[in-house]
Amino acid sequence: DVKVTQSSRYLVKRTGEKVFLECVQDMDHENMFWYRQDPGLGLRLIYFSYDVKMKEKGDIPEGYSVSREKKERFSLILESASTNQTSMYLCASSLLVWSNNYGYTFGSGTRLTVV
Amino acid sequence: QKEVEQNSGPLSVPEGAIASLNCTYSDRVSQSFFWYRQYSGKSPELIMSIYSNGDKEDGRFTAQLNKASQYVSLLIRDSQPSDSATYLCAGYFGNEKLTFGTGTRLTIIP
């Protein structure tokens, strides 16, 4: 019963390519998040969204953009992939904190390699 | 800055013993805390949540929260090799975003 689905488990892209990472959740969550995780650096928030068409920058938004046209789908876009964007990308979703305090549910992650 | 700090480890515990993982936070405006387990190459998995001061038990896991001292801990009883993973502590501090610690790597020695 997968609840947060990321479209690719492994991805290899060339420098300069435009890369789309897709995330879909089936739990009717309002909040969705994109993180990257690198050894020794922990989880770093790239972007998050509270609602459809709403987005806010996280801690490291440079080089990324996002799209949320439907409540269940949150896409991360690497405008022009670079080697320093090689990382594990994690999508997560959650209900609004005030409504139901269950934390995040993570997708299985996409390991992106930019060559 | 609402920080969550964890000892990065590695923490080595013999099989069958109690593993104790600790987390401190720097902001008193705390709402709730979570422990995630992350196996190597996998995504984090929620294992415990705690909102009130005191202990919360779920099987072999016990989460402890002390808001006055600003620490959260996770105890794993009867540790198994399958408990070897990185454990992430996270908390909500007045907004919709979880603040994560950098994680503690736990190794259970058979």
Side-chain angles (χ1 to χ4, degrees), chain B residues 41-95:
Chain B
K42 303 295 186 182
S43 63
E45 173 194 12
L46 180 65
I47 55 172
M48 288 289 287
S49 59
I50 187 164
Y51 317 126
S52 306
N53 276 323
D55 294 0
K56 179 181 178 182
E57 188 175 316
D58 184 0
R60 295 186 297 112
F61 298 98
T62 299
Q64 300 174 318
L65 174 59
N66 184 321
K67 292 189 178 183
S69 300
Q70 296 179 221
Y71 79 79
V72 191
S73 62
L74 179 70
L75 302 178
I76 306 174
R77 291 182 299 281
D78 187 24
S79 297
Q80 303 296 309
S82 60
D83 295 326
S84 296
T86 296
Y87 290 80
L88 302 171
C89 173
Y92 282 120
F93 297 96
N95 58 37

Side-chain angles (χ1 to χ4, degrees), chain A residues 9 31 33 35 37 43 45 48 50 88 90 94-98 101-104 106-108, chain B residues 31-32 34 36 38 41-46 49 51 88 92 95-102:
Chain A
R9 187 74 180 92
N31 298 332
F33 307 85
Y35 287 84
Q37 188 175 37
L43 286 164
L45 181 63
F48 60 101
Y50 294 142
M88 169 72 97
L90 291 162
S94 72
L95 289 163
L96 291 174
V97 172
W98 64 264
N101 214 346
Y102 288 151
Y104 293 178
F106 282 91
S108 56
Chain B
Q31 295 177 312
S32 49
F34 304 85
Y36 286 83
Q38 186 175 23
K42 303 295 186 182
S43 63
E45 173 194 12
L46 180 65
S49 59
Y51 317 126
L88 302 171
Y92 282 120
N95 58 37
E96 298 289 323
K97 294 178 287 179
L98 277 174
T99 299
F100 287 88
T102 53

Side-chain angles (χ1 to χ4, degrees), chain A residues 1-114:
Chain A
D1 59 337
V2 176
K3 294 182 169 62
V4 180
T5 303
Q6 293 186 231
S7 54
S8 304
R9 187 74 180 92
Y10 298 96
L11 211 52
V12 180
K13 295 293 182 180
R14 295 195 178 277
T15 300
E17 276 194 78
K18 191 169 186 176
V19 181
F20 294 85
L21 302 182
E22 305 288 344
C23 176
V24 177
Q25 52 96 1
D26 64 0
M27 297 171 288
D28 202 33
H29 283 176
E30 290 84 4
N31 298 332
M32 296 189 75
F33 307 85
W34 275 106
Y35 287 84
R36 63 177 285 178
Q37 188 175 37
D38 301 287
L41 296 178
L43 286 164
R44 292 184 291 169
L45 181 63
I46 305 171
Y47 267 97
F48 60 101
S49 171
Y50 294 142
D51 201 352
V52 175
K53 297 190 186 296
M54 303 277 292
K55 60 185 179 184
E56 289 197 25
K57 294 179 180 179
D59 301 318
I60 52 163
E62 296 78 18
Y64 303 94
S65 62
V66 290
S67 173
R68 193 168 182 198
E69 297 296 319
K70 294 184 178 181
K71 187 176 185 179
E72 66 269 20
R73 185 181 296 270
F74 192 35
S75 303
L76 179 69
I77 304 153
L78 285 67
E79 299 292 343
S80 177
S82 64
T83 54
N84 62 14
Q85 292 178 311
T86 292
S87 186
M88 169 72 97
Y89 288 87
L90 291 162
C91 175
S93 70
S94 72
L95 289 163
L96 291 174
V97 172
W98 64 264
S99 67
N100 219 335
N101 214 346
Y102 288 151
Y104 293 178
T105 301
F106 282 91
S108 56
T110 296
R111 186 164 293 281
L112 173 68
T113 301
V114 182

